[in-house]
Amino acid sequence: MKITSIQNIPIEVPYYEHLGPHMQRVRQTPQYPTIRTHIYIVDTDAGLSGYGEGPNMGAEVEACIGHHPVEFLMDDRTKGIQIACYDLVGKLLGQPAHRLYGPQVRSEVLMCYWSHCFAPEMMAAEAQRALAMGFKVHKIKARPWERTVEQVAAMVEGVPADFRIVVDPNGSYGRPTEALRHIRDLEAFPAVWAMEEPISWDQVEGYKFLKSHIDYPIALHADIPSVLTAVREGLCDYFVSEFHYSAKLVQDCGVARAGENKEFWVENGLWTGISHAFQLHQAAAIPNIYMLITLAVLAQDDMVVEPMDVADGHMAVPEGPGLGITLDMDALEKYRID
């Protein structure tokens, strides 16, 4: 089997109407914000087609034509085409894509809802939406223009005791002592479960300080500092991977597992159900992936035919060959752009 052609299709999908104005405000953009990404359809001489998603590769796609899809399974340089190749090789073998990573360790994956730094009343509405959709974990952005304690206070009204909140300041809590003051305010709310990057990544001693003063688990991005450095220095309890395709994710998870067996939150830094399904397959086989953080639920269309539902906080791994999903061609025509 060889790749005969690759379609690189840019799409633009609106946010759900209730989210659009709020995303426009927090992103401080004069234009109404939308979601832009690229869909890849990779065709082969075996009559099989694979689906992927990623940034625009431009003329680079031509270098993949004429090759067997298996050549790109761990080649992160091919980005969205790599996803399509996992889909293709799985279809060729009649096996789900996760078997290409190793033995299956889970059939369903813990899911986490995502919200930007909205006003308290909007954050409360989003918590109720997450709950109604079946989520039990909700990650929120913390920024200087809103008080995190007021956002959380609004969110916990009407949610069950097992609903967990992750607070992600992206380093905006400043110095360690200032961050500690913010975090102390949150200790009144048992729903707050973990902190992601409360201070900037370069404050190594600051993370050691926070680790010795707070009980919350701390998560750090798996980029800077490196996973090896963070494990060696004891800086965090979890790592966050923002869609590192295959090679880097497998390598980072291996380092974290060999060190202190730390777990990963894999965040869908792309948007559609294609990348979402791909991450479900990764989590099905990589033992120390703890949960997936999804942004696909913010778009008006996830671009796949099959429903991707959350039940009791988890989503089932697709069982069909390859990614186990079908690209919605009607949606593709509706949202494709020049």
Side-chain angles (χ1 to χ4, degrees), residues 242-262:
E242 295 231 10
F243 211 92
H244 288 149
Y245 298 94
S246 291
K248 189 176 189 308
L249 177 62
V250 169
Q251 179 184 22
D252 286 345
C253 285
V255 171
R257 194 161 60 246
E260 298 180 14
N261 199 27
K262 293 188 182 296

Side-chain angles (χ1 to χ4, degrees), residues 192-204:
V192 176
W193 164 56
M195 305 292 301
E196 179 182 327
E197 200 175 345
I199 57 178
S200 58
W201 60 264
D202 56 339
Q203 299 185 63
V204 172

Side-chain angles (χ1 to χ4, degrees), residues 108-126:
E108 59 179 22
V109 184
L110 178 65
M111 303 301 300
C112 179
Y113 192 80
W114 184 98
S115 292
H116 211 304
C117 185
F118 301 137
E121 60 273 15
M122 178 60 179
M123 207 65 93
E126 282 295 273

